Amino acid sequence: MVCRNQILVRLSVCASMLLLNEHVHAGMAGSEVAPPVTTPVQQPMNYLVQEALYPQLDFLAQKLLNERMQTTLAGYPAFNGKDKFLPGKIATGMAHILLNTTAATPAREQALKNFHDIADMTVALDNHSWGIYYYLLALHQIHEAGLLEHAVSPATLAKLKQQLDWRSFVNVSDLKLINLPTNYYGVAFGVARLRMLLGWESVASSEQLLSKLLTHYDAHSGQYGFSDETDGEGRFDRYSILLIAEICHRLIETGKEVRPDLKLKLRKAADIALAMSNTHGDGFSFGRSIGAYGDTAILEILSASAYLGVLTAEEKDYAYAYSTRIFNKFRSFWYDPQLHSVDLWSKGRKTDAYRGVHRVLGENFSLLHQLLTTNAIWVKMGYAQTIPKSDLQAWADKTQPRFRLDWFARGEYDRALATYRDRQHVFSLLLANGGPGQHANSPYYALPFSSELIAGIPDSGFAHPQLLPKLTLDDGTELIATAFIKNIQTTNDAEGQYLTYQQDGLTRMTAETKSPQKDTRVKLQSRYQFAPGSISRTDEYQQTGTARIRQVSLEFASFSDEASIDGNSISFSQGGITKFSVEGLEYCSVKKLVNDTYFQTPSGPFKSLITCTSKQLIPVTPLIIKWTMQYQ
């Protein structure tokens, strides 16, 4: 690894290295973000790390040292009490700086002093679950380097020993998580394992938690290997695919062998990640808490897979190429050099409440930690000086299937993910159920998500159902088709690839956002058709009993702009979607969206809103509604 001996001395020079690309700087200066850079990456991943990411860590460290508890970043107070992981995230960042210095140099001595000072400053702050894990990982790595007694005072270390404990978020009697989703079992195991390696407790707890973790994972992933984020209600998202990689990373980090059955599950996650390979550096585009984390999830999956020998030699090289593109996207798209910060919240970008701007400092440290940790694994595999292959797109087009279906669960309801590749786009058709708290939000709808083409709105609720017809019955009940998916089937012919499924009831649109409320008065048969340059969805609604559909509306919020309308067909002269047309509804309109804070996505604002309606429906069954989008 390249080390720098003047850390915190050349901060202004280091920070300026982040302005490596004039296109990046010009894009960030305006009111909107520029699209990700797609030209080939000519430098090794490790070069990007040393010349762009470590300087950002240096900047953050110096800011903390100068401003202390009054630190602000991007105009927001860092220590606002709302980021319960923050002390641990800061510790990882300070540890990265410390361990990237050369022994017996002034830089090393200064980094030790800085870690010591910041540890004393933050030891009294709330620090929960992930923050506990991060802090322990930092202490373990410093301990392995023989520097712990120099980096942390005895008094502070004694406090940390009491605070950094898995028992604060796991019930000791039955080892159940305390009001947390299933991926936190991996956090609990990591905490117990690191405590054992630090000599703070015996091996028994980590072994019990690992057993609990793997048993729970098997119970809620079944034969397909992807974890339900709930206790069987069907919340599948990036975490479901990422969790096995997180488990493997915890085992790798703490020196524990990864079992063959875990590698088999990891291979399934790697298959999805490789199928998403693209030159933009885009990752997952569906579910909660994506944005930059949708991209870095791919890094975690592919680095673990490469390190554990799950990938072939050729796959490893192209996984590295794809991963380097993700690094470059972080530098060119997610990072704003004017703010000296990752930007997930401004210029039309939007996150869910969980990852709001109140976590601005922690998100910087967290994302940098993921990137640096991934790079360290690739360096360990011999890629420190490797220029990534420039033919990633050609390789992906040649080796990855044009269409694939990965099952998540089958039973009363089917849960799956369909991936479709076309014209350098990757579409992810999520067929799941967001479960309590998420099913109403459009990132969990059954839509073919694709970066810069089709996106959901974080914490959207039912206000504007994206691309799903909203039905109003005679009694005023409003319904959409979100959660009760059955009998997923795929076929293909010369016209394209087809995916069909049924729903034996629709979801009532109510203020209740916990579990979806099923209404069986309307049933649905849906069909997607994927063809070169176009996607269409046809819905056939069957009304049962005395139910009558009084009104139907359909909305599509799009990144495309400069619209013209001809009947129920809307054409765009700017953007990836070139045309959107609707059959089965009476009237369509389109309006330009300008600074509308609702119509924002993790990657930027929507530009146009199409609304199609039918207000005087003739009682008929089935009611057939079809939309078709064309893209370039």
Side-chain angles (χ1 to χ4, degrees):
M1 176 179 289
V2 178
C3 292
R4 304 174 342 277
N5 294 328
Q6 297 180 359
I7 294 176
L8 305 182
V9 176
R10 297 167 51 239
L11 284 172
S12 61
V13 176
C14 290
S16 68
M17 291 179 181
L18 291 161
L19 307 180
L20 294 176
N21 192 310
E22 292 181 2
H23 170 77
V24 176
H25 185 265
M28 290 297 184
S31 60
E32 296 181 3
V33 295
V37 177
T38 58
T39 52
V41 181
Q42 301 294 332
Q43 298 88 19
M45 180 188 294
N46 193 51
Y47 174 87
L48 300 178
V49 166
Q50 297 296 333
E51 298 304 312
L53 302 191
Y54 271 109
Q56 171 61 2
L57 272 183
D58 293 343
F59 172 84
L60 294 173
Q62 190 61 56
K63 197 165 182 56
L64 283 169
L65 290 163
N66 290 341
E67 300 176 19
R68 314 295 287 181
M69 295 301 294
Q70 283 70 49
T71 297
T72 62
L73 187 62
Y76 294 92
F79 295 102
N80 52 48
K82 297 180 180 180
D83 186 347
K84 303 303 183 182
F85 309 151
L86 185 55
K89 292 176 179 180
I90 292 173
T92 61
M94 301 301 292
H96 281 299
I97 294 173
L98 170 59
L99 298 174
N100 198 52
T101 59
T102 303
T105 63
R108 167 63 61 83
E109 293 304 314
Q110 185 64 54
L112 283 167
K113 181 180 183 301
N114 293 342
F115 192 99
H116 188 287
D117 289 351
I118 296 300
D120 287 348
M121 184 181 82
T122 61
V123 70
L125 301 178
D126 279 350
N127 189 32
H128 300 178
S129 57
W130 273 108
I132 293 171
Y133 166 76
Y134 284 135
Y135 213 130
L136 284 168
L137 180 63
L139 296 179
H140 169 63
Q141 292 173 338
I142 294 171
H143 176 68
E144 289 289 287
L147 299 171
L148 186 57
E149 63 182 22
H150 303 289
V152 186
S153 70
T156 294
L157 191 60
K159 292 177 183 177
L160 292 173
K161 184 177 179 180
Q162 295 298 316
Q163 297 169 358
L164 305 179
D165 198 326
W166 54 270
R167 296 165 183 86
S168 64
F169 58 99
V170 177
N171 190 314
V172 178
S173 62
D174 57 9
L175 298 185
K176 288 186 177 181
L177 294 167
I178 302 172
N179 299 322
L180 291 169
T182 57
N183 64 304
Y184 280 79
Y185 275 114
V187 182
F189 161 72
V191 168
R193 178 77 176 169
L194 289 166
R195 284 178 60 87
M196 184 274 294
L197 293 173
L198 285 166
W200 292 359
E201 65 179 72
S202 72
V203 71
S205 295
S206 61
E207 292 298 314
Q208 291 171 355
L209 284 166
L210 179 61
S211 177
K212 182 73 172 180
L213 163 65
L214 298 179
T215 299
H216 189 91
Y217 187 96
D218 287 339
H220 293 283
S221 64
Q223 61 180 308
Y224 303 109
F226 301 104
S227 179
D228 189 340
E229 279 289 286
T230 63
D231 288 335
E233 294 196 53
R235 184 196 296 164
F236 290 93
D237 51 28
R238 73 172 177 96
Y239 289 101
S240 305
I241 304 166
L242 171 62
L243 181 55
I244 185 60
E246 286 190 345
I247 293 170
C248 291
H249 275 291
R250 301 299 85 81
L251 297 171
I252 293 168
E253 289 166 350
T254 58
K256 194 168 180 61
E257 183 179 359
V258 179
R259 297 179 343 202
D261 62 313
L262 300 182
K263 293 182 183 181
L264 291 175
K265 289 183 173 70
L266 181 61
R267 176 68 220 197
K268 292 182 177 182
D271 285 340
I272 293 177
L274 290 173
M276 295 173 61
S277 300
N278 64 88
T279 58
H280 292 77
D282 296 330
F284 292 104
S285 54
F286 54 85
R288 63 191 173 95
S289 296
I290 49 172
Y293 287 89
D295 299 342
T296 59
I298 298 291
L299 297 179
E300 294 187 77
I301 293 168
L302 292 180
S303 60
S305 300
Y307 184 81
L308 293 172
V310 169
L311 306 182
T312 67
E314 180 178 275
E315 287 174 332
K316 186 185 294 186
D317 285 344
Y318 285 98
Y320 172 75
Y322 180 20
S323 297
T324 306
R325 294 281 187 157
I326 293 172
F327 269 73
N328 198 51
K329 181 184 174 184
F330 177 85
R331 182 188 69 172
S332 65
F333 185 75
W334 294 116
Y335 181 79
D336 187 334
Q338 295 180 348
L339 298 176
H340 289 291
S341 172
V342 63
D343 184 8
L344 311 180
W345 310 278
S346 69
K347 300 183 177 71
R349 294 175 181 167
K350 185 178 186 178
T351 65
D352 48 28
Y354 170 78
R355 210 176 289 282
V357 72
H358 60 271
R359 290 172 51 162
V360 58
L361 182 60
E363 298 308 323
N364 275 270
F365 278 117
S366 177
L367 286 165
L368 288 168
H369 171 69
Q370 290 187 16
L371 293 162
L372 295 174
T373 300
T374 297
N375 176 65
I377 292 174
W378 286 106
V379 168
K380 194 171 183 178
M381 289 187 288
Y383 283 78
Q385 303 301 321
T386 302
I387 303 295
K389 290 184 176 296
S390 59
D391 59 342
L392 173 63
Q393 186 66 50
W395 176 83
D397 291 343
K398 177 182 177 181
T399 62
Q400 301 306 305
R402 188 174 183 83
F403 180 90
R404 64 177 288 136
L405 182 71
D406 291 280
W407 288 100
F408 290 154
R410 303 182 81 172
E412 180 182 7
Y413 300 110
D414 287 349
R415 312 298 181 197
L417 175 69
T419 305
Y420 177 67
R421 301 180 58 87
D422 182 45
R423 300 190 177 185
Q424 300 187 24
H425 299 294
V426 179
F427 295 91
S428 299
L429 173 54
L430 179 67
L431 301 165
N433 168 6
Q438 291 292 341
H439 72 91
N441 296 328
S442 54
Y444 286 88
Y445 290 177
L447 304 179
F449 298 101
S450 183
S451 178
E452 300 180 44
L453 295 180
I454 303 172
I457 295 173
D459 294 340
S460 68
F462 288 128
H464 296 274
Q466 174 79 311
L467 283 170
L468 294 183
K470 179 178 74 173
L471 313 183
T472 303
L473 304 186
D474 279 342
D475 64 0
T477 303
E478 294 181 323
L479 306 174
I480 58 172
T482 61
F484 306 106
I485 295 169
K486 292 186 172 185
N487 194 27
I488 298 171
Q489 296 185 15
T490 63
T491 58
N492 64 81
D493 59 23
E495 299 298 319
Q497 179 75 44
Y498 303 89
L499 184 146
T500 62
Y501 59 90
Q502 291 90 42
Q503 296 193 54
D504 59 358
L506 305 188
T507 303
R508 294 192 194 98
M509 296 173 60
T510 69
E512 173 62 56
T513 58
K514 293 182 180 179
S515 297
Q517 304 300 304
K518 186 176 182 180
D519 193 316
T520 60
R521 291 178 291 173
V522 180
K523 303 182 188 300
L524 174 63
Q525 167 81 40
S526 298
R527 184 184 78 160
Y528 273 104
Q529 178 181 358
F530 298 89
S534 74
I535 298 175
S536 66
R537 171 179 169 134
T538 304
D539 288 328
E540 295 188 11
Y541 294 95
Q542 295 281 351
Q543 302 161 71
T544 64
T546 60
R548 289 292 178 266
I549 300 172
R550 184 180 73 199
Q551 181 177 339
V552 181
S553 64
L554 174 69
E555 294 184 80
F556 174 41
S558 173
F559 295 112
S560 291
D561 202 0
E562 301 301 323
S564 61
I565 187 166
D566 181 10
N568 282 5
S569 181
I570 296 90
S571 298
F572 296 99
S573 61
Q574 294 183 8
I577 301 293
T578 57
K579 189 175 183 179
F580 183 79
S581 57
V582 175
E583 301 173 35
L585 296 179
E586 294 175 340
Y587 172 79
C588 289
S589 63
V590 60
K591 74 173 184 178
K592 191 179 186 70
L593 295 171
V594 179
N595 298 325
D596 190 315
T597 57
Y598 177 88
F599 289 103
Q600 295 177 340
T601 78
S603 59
F606 287 125
K607 304 293 184 60
S608 304
L609 176 64
I610 298 170
T611 303
C612 301
T613 61
S614 284
K615 294 187 177 180
Q616 299 297 326
L617 286 174
I618 299 174
V620 63
T621 189
L623 171 65
I624 300 176
I625 300 170
K626 179 180 180 180
W627 59 255
T628 301
M629 65 174 58
Q630 298 175 13
Y631 54 88
Q632 60 185 1

